[in-house]
C-alpha cells in the first residue's frame, strides 16, 4: 500500500517531464510595450505607426481594423511572414530580431 502511494505521488513529476518533451514549442507571447520599442528602433525608419502616410514603406495605422496597407488580411502569421521575409521592397528581418522581439513587435503592430 505504501509503495502504491509513493508511485502515485510520482505521477505528477512524470507528467511534467512528459509535457516538457512535447514538441509543439509554444510561441513566446508578444508584449505591446516592448514591441513599441522594437518598432521605434527598427521599423520606424521606414514606417509611420500613427498615420497612413508613406515613408519608405506604407504607414501602418489602421491594422487593428483587420487590414494591411495592401488590403490583405492582417493576421499574426502574415505579419510574422512579413517581418521574416519582407515583401519585395522591404528587407528581410528574420535574423535581425529574436523570436521574442518579433512577437512583441507583431503585438504592437496589431494595435495600430
Ligand atoms: C528599410 C525599410 C523597412 C523597414 C526597416 C521595415 N519595413 Fe516594412 N515595408 C517596407 C516597404 C518598402 C514595404 C512595402 C513593400 C512592398 O510593397 O513591396 C513594407 C511593407 C510592410 C507592411 C505591409 C505589408 C502589406 O501587405 O500591406 C508591413 C505590415 C510592414 N512592412 C511591417 C514592418 C515591420 C513590423 C517592421 C519592423 C519589424 C518593418 N516593416 C520594417 C520597408 C521597411
Amino acid at each position: 500500500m505504501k509503495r502504491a502511494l509513493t508511485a502515485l505521488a510520482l505521477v505528477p513529476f512524470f507528467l511534467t517531464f512528459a509535457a516538457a518533451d512535447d514538441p509543439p514549442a509554444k510561441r513566446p507571447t508578444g508584449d505591446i510595450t516592448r514591441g513599441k520599442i522594437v518598432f521605434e528602433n527598427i521599423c520606424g525608419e521606414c514606417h509611420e505607426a500613427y498615420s497612413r502616410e508613406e515613408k519608405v514603406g506604407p504607414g501602418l495605422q489602421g491594422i487593428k481594423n483587420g487590414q494591411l496597407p495592401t488590403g490583405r488580411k492582417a493576421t499574426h502569421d502574415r505579419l510574422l511572414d512579413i517581418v521574416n521575409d519582407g515583401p519585395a521592397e522591404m528587407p528581410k528581418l528574420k535574423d535581425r530580431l529574436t523570436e521574442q522581439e518579433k512577437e512583441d513587435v507583431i503585438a504592437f503592430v496589431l494595435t495600430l
Side-chain angles (χ1 to χ4, degrees):
M1 182 62 187
K2 187 136 187 258
R3 188 174 289 178
L5 279 179
T6 309
L8 210 60
L10 287 174
V11 165
F13 292 103
F14 287 126
L15 288 179
T16 306
F17 285 119
D21 279 345
D22 234 356
K26 228 178 137 238
R27 269 201 195 114
T29 324
D31 179 294
I32 294 169
T33 313
R34 278 181 296 167
K36 183 168 192 264
I37 297 168
V38 176
F39 190 94
E40 284 163 358
N41 287 338
I42 310 245
C43 324
E45 179 191 332
C46 300
H47 293 287
E48 296 288 353
Y50 304 107
S51 88
R52 297 218 166 188
E53 211 169 294
E54 183 94 14
K55 215 169 172 182
V56 181
L60 300 184
Q61 191 253 325
I63 286 184
K64 66 170 174 301
N65 301 326
Q67 268 195 357
L68 294 172
T70 49
R72 297 188 297 165
K73 207 159 168 247
T75 62
H76 168 281
D77 289 5
R78 184 157 288 150
L79 281 164
L80 187 58
D81 283 347
I82 291 170
V83 171
N84 279 331
D85 298 322
E89 305 284 315
M90 178 172 146
K92 299 184 197 319
L93 300 172
K94 197 183 191 129
D95 301 324
R96 241 178 105 185
L97 299 175
T98 65
E99 294 309 307
Q100 181 67 61
E101 287 169 334
K102 290 174 197 171
E103 292 305 322
D104 293 346
V105 81
I106 290 167
F108 173 69
V109 165
L110 284 169
T111 68
L112 296 178

